[in-house]
């Protein structure tokens, strides 16, 4: 039986949460009252984590699924140029990457791109009014652009990263930037799953 990528991600998250709940409950219960209390606390914490994960599966699935009217490029409207010429995204140079380098190396670069773009998004749309200084925002932007310009990056991830950087650079619509970063995360996952 083959699960969808969204179901597999949720299953992995559930497993980690339940195991952490069991371990934490066992330690806490053992410290409070001995073995019996540790076993009971481990069972209760694991069961609570499993129930909570089960109840939140729709929210997780909705976050990880692409938008229905979106064809992996949520930021460009039909008939418009997805990358305006004023955007300082480096032009990809065709490089012949050997088949051996496409595996884990490309996955690592794609993961680094996702992390750098997500941290840049967090700096561009901070949770508090003055949570990020202008210097930190510029530094995160520079890191994101440098990582996205890496020559070993797969083309699908490179295009999604450029769209995400454009949406974050505009800094007007947090929802559009969130959708673009979500599309980038799905492109990174699809690149990994294609192996």
């Amino acid at each position: 039986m083959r699960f969808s990528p969204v179901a597999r991600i949720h299953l992995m998250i559930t497993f980690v949460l339940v195991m952490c709940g069991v371990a934490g409950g066992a330690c806490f219960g053992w410290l409070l009252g001995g073995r019996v209390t540790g076993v009971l606390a481990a069972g209760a914490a694991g069961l609570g984590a499993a129930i909570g994960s089960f109840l939140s599966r729709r929210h997780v699935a909705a976050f990880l699924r692409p938008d229905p009217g979106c064809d992996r490029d949520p930021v460009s409207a039909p008939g418009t140029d997805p990358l305006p010429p004023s955007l300082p995204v480096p032009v990809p140079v065709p490089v012949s990457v050997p088949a051996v380098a496409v595996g884990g190396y490309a996955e690592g670069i794609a993961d680094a791109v996702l992390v750098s773009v997500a941290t840049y998004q967090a700096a561009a749309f901070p949770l508090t009014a003055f949570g990020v200084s202008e210097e930190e925002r510029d530094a995160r932007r520079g890191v994101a652009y440098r990582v996205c310009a890496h020559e070993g990056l797969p083309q699908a991830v490179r295009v999604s990263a450029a769209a995400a950087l454009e949406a974050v650079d505009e800094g007007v619509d947090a929802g559009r930037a969130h959708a673009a970063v979500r599309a980038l995360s799905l492109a990174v996952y699809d690149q990994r799953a294609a192996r």
Side-chain angles (χ1 to χ4, degrees):
M1 179 159 68
R2 188 141 170 96
F3 292 108
S4 70
V6 172
R8 288 193 317 214
I9 290 172
H10 185 259
L11 185 63
M12 286 186 269
I13 292 170
T14 300
F15 178 76
V16 169
L17 288 176
V18 169
M19 289 299 112
C20 289
V22 166
C27 291
F28 188 68
W30 182 71
L31 287 174
L32 285 180
R35 287 186 209 177
V36 175
T37 308
V39 170
L40 291 175
L47 184 64
I51 290 172
S53 182
F54 177 75
L55 294 176
S56 68
R57 72 187 187 285
R58 287 186 181 167
H59 296 290
V60 173
F63 176 77
L64 293 174
R65 278 204 185 93
D67 294 333
C70 174
D71 59 346
R72 287 287 196 227
D73 188 12
V75 287
S76 64
T80 62
D81 187 17
L83 296 175
S86 63
L87 187 64
V89 175
V91 178
V93 178
V95 176
S96 63
V97 178
V100 177
V102 174
Y105 182 72
E107 287 179 5
I109 295 171
D111 287 339
V113 164
L114 180 59
V115 168
S116 64
V117 171
T119 56
Y120 174 44
Q121 177 197 13
F125 299 101
L127 295 177
T128 60
F130 298 102
V132 178
S133 67
E134 194 65 37
E135 294 83 21
E136 183 179 356
R137 185 177 298 122
D138 291 341
R140 288 184 183 189
R141 181 179 188 272
V143 168
Y145 272 97
R146 280 193 299 277
V147 172
C148 290
H150 197 280
E151 65 184 29
L153 193 61
Q155 186 65 24
V157 176
R158 186 181 301 246
V159 170
S160 291
L165 286 173
E166 176 189 6
V168 174
D169 273 343
E170 288 179 3
V172 178
D173 187 9
R176 180 175 174 230
H178 177 72
V181 172
R182 183 174 52 190
L184 173 62
S185 68
L186 289 172
V188 168
Y189 183 80
D190 287 346
Q191 183 263 336
R192 180 178 298 136
R195 241 182 70 172

